[in-house]
Amino acid sequence: MRALLASVALLGMTGTARAEDQPPAPIPGSVKALEGCWRGDGEVMGKPVEITLSVKPAALGTALTVDADSRAKADPTDRYAAHLILTGRGPAPKEGPATGVSGFWADSFGGDFTAVGKGEAVPGGFDITYPYPDAAFVNRWRLDGGKLSWSIVARAGGKDAPFAAYALTRAACPAE
């Protein structure tokens, strides 16, 4: 009897999808279009930086990971890195493309600076906002062919203040 109960318990923990499970929210096309590698320049709080992005599918294609690595141009030892996870949000629309975006932000400042964000696809890209105690950081991603712009504003007290802006182009991904 114990063996039977243990087998039933293990079967319940396998995590396999059942027929009644809802399919995962589809990733909007404007988010999927980021897949690949990017290189560019930008400015963070007035400081010129160089940045690279590596964007890869994850979680059986239900998510994308974005690894960002930037260095201050004036001091290459002044580095920053972020790991983002982007997914679809909400049910698949009955008509038209998927629009909802969810995200998770973690970076080189550590665990106290993680955030879960929500956003939407817009013409030419998508916007996603990550709330923090002192401000909400609105990320605007825009793709035009092989050119990507990514801007971030800090929204606090109903006012937007520029935080970061990057201009990137597609680049060859490093060999793994």
Side-chain angles (χ1 to χ4, degrees):
M1 183 65 162
R2 281 188 180 165
L4 176 62
L5 289 174
S7 295
V8 170
L10 285 174
L11 285 173
M13 295 176 9
T14 60
T16 58
R18 297 181 308 255
E20 66 272 10
D21 287 343
Q22 293 295 316
I27 300 172
S30 57
V31 177
K32 283 184 179 182
L34 296 180
E35 191 174 331
C37 295
W38 301 86
R39 177 175 299 284
D41 297 302
E43 190 173 282
V44 178
M45 298 186 304
K47 178 178 20 176
V49 299
E50 296 175 336
I51 186 168
T52 60
L53 300 179
S54 174
V55 184
K56 298 177 183 176
L60 300 176
T62 64
L64 287 178
T65 61
V66 179
D67 286 299
D69 187 3
S70 70
R71 299 171 188 268
K73 288 184 176 184
D75 179 5
T77 64
D78 182 0
R79 294 184 58 201
Y80 171 81
H83 179 75
L84 316 178
I85 300 171
L86 300 171
T87 67
R89 181 175 58 84
K94 302 252 186 262
E95 295 180 20
T99 59
V101 182
S102 288
F104 177 76
W105 185 288
D107 63 22
S108 51
F109 289 123
D112 290 336
F113 295 93
T114 61
V116 174
K118 290 183 183 178
E120 299 291 330
V122 298
F126 64 99
D127 296 341
I128 187 165
T129 301
Y130 299 92
Y132 285 87
D134 57 338
F137 288 85
V138 182
N139 287 242
R140 295 181 177 110
W141 299 80
R142 298 296 182 269
L143 185 59
D144 184 11
K147 296 185 182 211
L148 174 65
S149 65
W150 176 19
S151 64
I152 304 171
V153 297
R155 182 172 288 157
K159 296 181 182 179
D160 288 356
F163 184 79
Y166 309 99
L168 302 104
T169 55
R170 284 206 182 270
C173 292
E176 291 186 12

